[in-house]
Amino acid sequence: MSAGAISITASGWRTFLGRRTMLMAGAGILLFFVLLAVAAPLIAPYDPILQDGGARLRPPSLLHPFGTDNFGRDILSRIIWGARVDLQIALIGVAFPFVIGTILGTVAGFFGGIVDALFMRIVDIILAFPFLVLMLSIITILGPGLGSFYIAMALVGWVSYARLIRAQILVLKNNDYAVAAVSLGFGRMRIMFRHLLPNAIAGSIVFSMSDAVLVLLSGAAVSYLGLGVQPPVAEWGVMVAEGQSFITTAWWITLFPGLSIVFLAFGFSMLGDALGELLGVHE
């Protein structure tokens, strides 16, 4: 074996280890928050919505490791319980657009013609509006709450997934195996969802990890504006908003939930990057 071959092998091994490390780190962060959410009733030291007027604005201590807020509620307990809500926001907020966009993009790419033209006009209309502005408008019409947020994400967020899948299907439907499936008389549904979609879905799966970061931050922003999760439910965006007035005197109210948002988003981002490298998908 030549020195050049040894160098390439060593480089490839380092690349593999780097991808595996990133994948494990991202998955580990997400697993940590999942376990935190599942075990919340067991590990949270206090009731997350229980108010204690005598413990208002206490700094971090052994009794309250992350301090208390302006209502005397334990910040650590609220962060632990808030993991349930924020994970739900990230996962459900991605799931609906993913499914809707995948189906519409597959159909548009496969049939082409007037179906594809109509699809692209709808996409153009949605993309004509800024994402956050359109989402906030829908939530304002429907009323504050998580249900309105999920509906808004489904109505706006599907476009990215649909465009990704459509582009893949337009290429894959001309491949030999797809042409052979048509020649053998297979039904359109079978060709679309059993032959083409499995080969086109990798890019959307990778994108969904990055999209989860956007959904998580959007959910926190909407809650911060008072249009998402409503008090006294423990949610990290709500906690940041509640601590804004005390940022100079009780910094811990906003710091710890803000860091929680950052770390969870970082976990999704690392997992998405690692999957993209392993699957050979480049955004």
Side-chain angles (χ1 to χ4, degrees), residues 179-193:
V179 175
V182 174
S183 301
L184 291 172
F186 292 160
R188 292 174 175 176
M189 296 292 289
R190 176 174 177 175
I191 295 174
M192 282 191 291
F193 295 105

Side-chain angles (χ1 to χ4, degrees), residues 83-127:
R84 287 188 165 191
V85 180
D86 283 85
L87 278 172
Q88 175 184 317
I89 288 174
L91 297 178
I92 297 181
V94 166
F96 287 122
F98 181 91
V99 173
I100 295 172
T102 297
I103 294 174
L104 293 179
T106 300
V107 172
F110 181 79
F111 285 99
I114 189 172
V115 174
D116 188 41
L118 178 62
F119 166 79
M120 290 306 298
R121 298 296 76 77
I122 295 174
V123 168
D124 291 340
I125 292 173
I126 295 177
L127 292 178

Side-chain angles (χ1 to χ4, degrees), residues 48-170:
I49 62 174
L50 180 65
Q51 300 183 18
D52 183 359
R56 294 180 65 253
L57 301 177
R58 288 186 178 176
S61 63
L62 291 178
L63 192 61
H64 299 283
F66 286 2
T68 62
D69 64 10
N70 53 310
F71 294 104
R73 298 173 298 193
D74 182 64
I75 297 296
L76 176 59
S77 299
R78 289 180 63 77
I79 286 177
I80 292 173
W81 280 92
R84 287 188 165 191
V85 180
D86 283 85
L87 278 172
Q88 175 184 317
I89 288 174
L91 297 178
I92 297 181
V94 166
F96 287 122
F98 181 91
V99 173
I100 295 172
T102 297
I103 294 174
L104 293 179
T106 300
V107 172
F110 181 79
F111 285 99
I114 189 172
V115 174
D116 188 41
L118 178 62
F119 166 79
M120 290 306 298
R121 298 296 76 77
I122 295 174
V123 168
D124 291 340
I125 292 173
I126 295 177
L127 292 178
F129 299 92
F131 174 83
L132 191 58
V133 172
L134 185 56
M135 186 181 69
L136 290 176
S137 300
I138 295 173
I139 295 175
T140 302
I141 294 172
L142 297 176
L146 269 184
S148 299
F149 174 77
Y150 294 142
I151 293 174
M153 286 302 306
L155 292 177
V156 179
W158 64 269
V159 172
S160 299
Y161 294 99
R163 293 176 69 192
L164 281 172
I165 290 293
R166 171 185 173 271
Q168 292 292 320
I169 296 296
L170 285 173

